[in-house]
Amino acid sequence: QHSAGQPQDAAGVKAALKEFVKAMVKGRELHLQPKTGGALVAALCKLSPDMSALLVGDRNQQRLQLSGVSNVHRGMEALLLDLGFEVDANMVVLELDSGACITFHLGHGQAADDFAFFMRLIT
């Protein structure tokens, strides 16, 4: 679920953001990079209906308050975080106020661009 790039005008951004939020409230399987490196882990990720939190996982759901996200890093922007594993252009890292980081691997650069763009808009 990604577009062919971010829209270039306000109406396009608003429409694309609405679609992103709608899809994320329904839930979307994303791949998480474990803090220890290793194989990616698939997890259902949802936005809360009021857009205050990102809900990660099915059974042991983790609730990330969006107000607690200090930065959204796209790909190589996350190098300085020293995450303990190799960062690539397909990753988006949510840096939390606590200093913890959640790393998503989106599969390809355009999906990572779109995810980072929209997460920056809603955090």
Side-chain angles (χ1 to χ4, degrees):
Q1 298 205 10
H2 59 277
S3 66
Q6 288 88 36
Q8 300 302 310
D9 62 7
V13 169
K14 185 176 178 180
L17 179 60
K18 184 177 179 180
E19 284 302 311
F20 175 80
V21 168
K22 185 177 171 182
M24 288 300 295
V25 167
K26 285 182 181 178
R28 178 176 166 192
E29 185 177 275
L30 296 175
H31 292 90
L32 299 170
Q33 176 68 60
K35 294 174 189 164
T36 56
L40 298 175
V41 177
L44 180 65
C45 297
K46 295 181 177 184
L47 271 177
S48 61
D50 64 358
M51 292 177 40
S52 67
L54 182 64
L55 311 172
V56 179
D58 291 321
R59 294 186 189 119
N60 299 325
Q61 193 175 69
Q62 184 178 4
R63 183 179 186 90
L64 303 172
Q65 291 299 128
L66 294 182
S67 61
V69 175
S70 59
N71 287 296
V72 178
H73 302 279
R74 160 68 170 85
M76 299 305 164
E77 296 170 5
L79 280 175
L80 296 177
L81 296 174
D82 194 25
L83 296 170
F85 51 83
E86 193 171 323
V87 177
D88 70 40
N90 302 322
M91 293 178 170
V92 174
V93 179
L94 302 184
E95 182 182 3
L96 309 180
D97 291 339
S98 66
C101 294
I102 309 295
T103 304
F104 297 94
H105 195 286
L106 282 294
H108 57 87
Q110 187 60 57
D113 279 344
D114 291 348
F115 188 75
F117 178 75
F118 293 119
M119 289 303 294
R120 286 172 175 155
L121 289 176
I122 64 175
T123 57

